[in-house]
Amino acid sequence: MTRVNRPDTLLTELRELRRRLRLLESSRMRAAAPAAAMRAVEGTPLLPARPSDWPSTDSADWEVALDGSATAGNTLVIRTVADQDTTGTARVTVDGNVVGDEIFIASDLARHTVFIDRVAEIAVEVRRTSGSGSIRLQAWLT
């Protein structure tokens, strides 16, 4: 806000717009995430919901999309999607050894699960096999 008897400048108007935008965004975030829901997933990171925000690659070589540790009884959940006219594959390695079949990735959103039966180092690797777009992957342990 400006002082009395002084006209607004572009700078003061911009500051006021930024201030209002911050207030608006903070009120939306509070309304969108009730306290009970926040407590239910406390300690769990929030993952991007839109596939366009997921980690992606356009490499024809294997790239690690997730690298971490799992305990016995964990389930690895993987969601995949590719850009239009693009395909790819993903694979899961446990302690450096590939487990299961390669996961085919196309333009349709897909979900896959892998049960981890021991304490192990896991990695999810992904690559593009055809087309010129990107392959997107989201993975987490439950």
mmCIF file of all heavy atoms in Angstrom, residues 1 13-27:
data_model
loop_
_atom_site.group_PDB
_atom_site.id
_atom_site.type_symbol
_atom_site.label_atom_id
_atom_site.label_comp_id
_atom_site.label_asym_id
_atom_site.label_seq_id
_atom_site.Cartn_x
_atom_site.Cartn_y
_atom_site.Cartn_z
ATOM 1 N N MET A 1 0.839 -1.180 0.000
ATOM 2 C CA MET A 1 0.000 0.000 0.000
ATOM 3 C C MET A 1 0.880 1.239 0.000
ATOM 4 O O MET A 1 1.965 1.228 0.543
ATOM 5 C CB MET A 1 -0.912 0.011 1.213
ATOM 6 C CG MET A 1 -1.906 -1.109 1.204
ATOM 7 S SD MET A 1 -3.061 -0.887 2.522
ATOM 8 C CE MET A 1 -3.943 -2.394 2.364
ATOM 9 N N GLU A 13 2.351 -1.278 -7.033
ATOM 10 C CA GLU A 13 1.249 -2.143 -7.465
ATOM 11 C C GLU A 13 1.704 -3.599 -7.563
ATOM 12 O O GLU A 13 0.981 -4.511 -7.171
ATOM 13 C CB GLU A 13 0.698 -1.666 -8.805
ATOM 14 C CG GLU A 13 -0.114 -0.394 -8.682
ATOM 15 C CD GLU A 13 -0.702 0.028 -10.014
ATOM 16 O OE1 GLU A 13 -0.864 -0.827 -10.911
ATOM 17 O OE2 GLU A 13 -1.015 1.211 -10.153
ATOM 18 N N LEU A 14 2.898 -3.822 -8.070
ATOM 19 C CA LEU A 14 3.438 -5.180 -8.160
ATOM 20 C C LEU A 14 3.614 -5.793 -6.773
ATOM 21 O O LEU A 14 3.265 -6.950 -6.538
ATOM 22 C CB LEU A 14 4.767 -5.176 -8.904
ATOM 23 C CG LEU A 14 5.457 -6.526 -9.063
ATOM 24 C CD1 LEU A 14 4.588 -7.487 -9.867
ATOM 25 C CD2 LEU A 14 6.810 -6.347 -9.725
ATOM 26 N N ARG A 15 4.135 -5.032 -5.837
ATOM 27 C CA ARG A 15 4.292 -5.537 -4.463
ATOM 28 C C ARG A 15 2.944 -5.908 -3.860
ATOM 29 O O ARG A 15 2.803 -6.928 -3.189
ATOM 30 C CB ARG A 15 4.984 -4.488 -3.596
ATOM 31 C CG ARG A 15 6.454 -4.363 -3.860
ATOM 32 C CD ARG A 15 7.079 -3.311 -2.976
ATOM 33 N NE ARG A 15 8.489 -3.161 -3.277
ATOM 34 C CZ ARG A 15 9.186 -2.079 -3.038
ATOM 35 N NH1 ARG A 15 8.618 -1.029 -2.472
ATOM 36 N NH2 ARG A 15 10.465 -2.024 -3.338
ATOM 37 N N GLU A 16 1.938 -5.070 -4.093
ATOM 38 C CA GLU A 16 0.612 -5.349 -3.556
ATOM 39 C C GLU A 16 0.027 -6.613 -4.196
ATOM 40 O O GLU A 16 -0.570 -7.448 -3.514
ATOM 41 C CB GLU A 16 -0.319 -4.159 -3.786
ATOM 42 C CG GLU A 16 -1.720 -4.341 -3.252
ATOM 43 C CD GLU A 16 -1.803 -4.499 -1.741
ATOM 44 O OE1 GLU A 16 -0.826 -4.226 -1.030
ATOM 45 O OE2 GLU A 16 -2.859 -4.930 -1.272
ATOM 46 N N LEU A 17 0.203 -6.797 -5.491
ATOM 47 C CA LEU A 17 -0.282 -8.000 -6.164
ATOM 48 C C LEU A 17 0.419 -9.253 -5.631
ATOM 49 O O LEU A 17 -0.219 -10.283 -5.400
ATOM 50 C CB LEU A 17 -0.068 -7.893 -7.674
ATOM 51 C CG LEU A 17 -1.028 -6.964 -8.408
ATOM 52 C CD1 LEU A 17 -0.581 -6.785 -9.850
ATOM 53 C CD2 LEU A 17 -2.438 -7.502 -8.346
ATOM 54 N N ARG A 18 1.724 -9.183 -5.437
ATOM 55 C CA ARG A 18 2.463 -10.320 -4.881
ATOM 56 C C ARG A 18 1.982 -10.656 -3.474
ATOM 57 O O ARG A 18 1.836 -11.824 -3.121
ATOM 58 C CB ARG A 18 3.961 -10.029 -4.865
ATOM 59 C CG ARG A 18 4.609 -10.119 -6.211
ATOM 60 C CD ARG A 18 6.087 -9.885 -6.101
ATOM 61 N NE ARG A 18 6.754 -10.038 -7.381
ATOM 62 C CZ ARG A 18 8.002 -9.710 -7.591
ATOM 63 N NH1 ARG A 18 8.749 -9.219 -6.621
ATOM 64 N NH2 ARG A 18 8.528 -9.871 -8.782
ATOM 65 N N ARG A 19 1.761 -9.635 -2.659
ATOM 66 C CA ARG A 19 1.277 -9.858 -1.299
ATOM 67 C C ARG A 19 -0.080 -10.549 -1.321
ATOM 68 O O ARG A 19 -0.319 -11.523 -0.611
ATOM 69 C CB ARG A 19 1.180 -8.526 -0.550
ATOM 70 C CG ARG A 19 0.770 -8.672 0.922
ATOM 71 C CD ARG A 19 0.515 -7.327 1.585
ATOM 72 N NE ARG A 19 -0.670 -6.677 1.062
ATOM 73 C CZ ARG A 19 -1.926 -6.985 1.431
ATOM 74 N NH1 ARG A 19 -2.137 -7.936 2.314
ATOM 75 N NH2 ARG A 19 -2.952 -6.351 0.930
ATOM 76 N N ARG A 20 -0.982 -10.084 -2.172
ATOM 77 C CA ARG A 20 -2.315 -10.687 -2.265
ATOM 78 C C ARG A 20 -2.252 -12.117 -2.788
ATOM 79 O O ARG A 20 -2.984 -12.988 -2.331
ATOM 80 C CB ARG A 20 -3.214 -9.836 -3.158
ATOM 81 C CG ARG A 20 -3.608 -8.535 -2.521
ATOM 82 C CD ARG A 20 -4.501 -7.749 -3.418
ATOM 83 N NE ARG A 20 -4.861 -6.478 -2.834
ATOM 84 C CZ ARG A 20 -5.713 -5.639 -3.379
ATOM 85 N NH1 ARG A 20 -6.286 -5.929 -4.522
ATOM 86 N NH2 ARG A 20 -5.995 -4.502 -2.783
ATOM 87 N N LEU A 21 -1.370 -12.362 -3.747
ATOM 88 C CA LEU A 21 -1.218 -13.704 -4.289
ATOM 89 C C LEU A 21 -0.702 -14.667 -3.228
ATOM 90 O O LEU A 21 -1.182 -15.795 -3.111
ATOM 91 C CB LEU A 21 -0.275 -13.683 -5.490
ATOM 92 C CG LEU A 21 -0.072 -15.000 -6.221
ATOM 93 C CD1 LEU A 21 -1.397 -15.542 -6.753
ATOM 94 C CD2 LEU A 21 0.911 -14.829 -7.357
ATOM 95 N N ARG A 22 0.274 -14.245 -2.427
ATOM 96 C CA ARG A 22 0.774 -15.105 -1.345
ATOM 97 C C ARG A 22 -0.336 -15.423 -0.349
ATOM 98 O O ARG A 22 -0.459 -16.560 0.110
ATOM 99 C CB ARG A 22 1.945 -14.427 -0.629
ATOM 100 C CG ARG A 22 3.271 -14.575 -1.344
ATOM 101 C CD ARG A 22 4.444 -14.186 -0.458
ATOM 102 N NE ARG A 22 4.316 -12.870 0.130
ATOM 103 C CZ ARG A 22 4.775 -11.742 -0.413
ATOM 104 N NH1 ARG A 22 5.396 -11.785 -1.566
ATOM 105 N NH2 ARG A 22 4.623 -10.592 0.201
ATOM 106 N N LEU A 23 -1.145 -14.459 -0.002
ATOM 107 C CA LEU A 23 -2.247 -14.694 0.925
ATOM 108 C C LEU A 23 -3.260 -15.665 0.332
ATOM 109 O O LEU A 23 -3.749 -16.562 1.011
ATOM 110 C CB LEU A 23 -2.931 -13.373 1.280
ATOM 111 C CG LEU A 23 -2.156 -12.428 2.183
ATOM 112 C CD1 LEU A 23 -2.874 -11.088 2.295
ATOM 113 C CD2 LEU A 23 -1.986 -13.048 3.555
ATOM 114 N N LEU A 24 -3.565 -15.481 -0.945
ATOM 115 C CA LEU A 24 -4.519 -16.350 -1.609
ATOM 116 C C LEU A 24 -4.005 -17.788 -1.669
ATOM 117 O O LEU A 24 -4.717 -18.729 -1.351
ATOM 118 C CB LEU A 24 -4.806 -15.837 -3.016
ATOM 119 C CG LEU A 24 -5.783 -16.642 -3.856
ATOM 120 C CD1 LEU A 24 -7.160 -16.630 -3.208
ATOM 121 C CD2 LEU A 24 -5.859 -16.081 -5.259
ATOM 122 N N GLU A 25 -2.745 -17.968 -2.046
ATOM 123 C CA GLU A 25 -2.171 -19.309 -2.131
ATOM 124 C C GLU A 25 -2.097 -19.970 -0.763
ATOM 125 O O GLU A 25 -2.369 -21.162 -0.630
ATOM 126 C CB GLU A 25 -0.788 -19.254 -2.768
ATOM 127 C CG GLU A 25 -0.831 -18.968 -4.246
ATOM 128 C CD GLU A 25 0.553 -18.759 -4.844
ATOM 129 O OE1 GLU A 25 1.509 -18.517 -4.085
ATOM 130 O OE2 GLU A 25 0.654 -18.839 -6.066
ATOM 131 N N SER A 26 -1.743 -19.244 0.257
ATOM 132 C CA SER A 26 -1.647 -19.851 1.584
ATOM 133 C C SER A 26 -3.028 -20.250 2.101
ATOM 134 O O SER A 26 -3.174 -21.277 2.750
ATOM 135 C CB SER A 26 -0.951 -18.917 2.564
ATOM 136 O OG SER A 26 -1.744 -17.777 2.807
ATOM 137 N N SER A 27 -4.061 -19.484 1.815
ATOM 138 C CA SER A 27 -5.407 -19.858 2.258
ATOM 139 C C SER A 27 -5.913 -21.075 1.500
ATOM 140 O O SER A 27 -6.586 -21.923 2.062
ATOM 141 C CB SER A 27 -6.374 -18.687 2.116
ATOM 142 O OG SER A 27 -6.562 -18.362 0.753
#
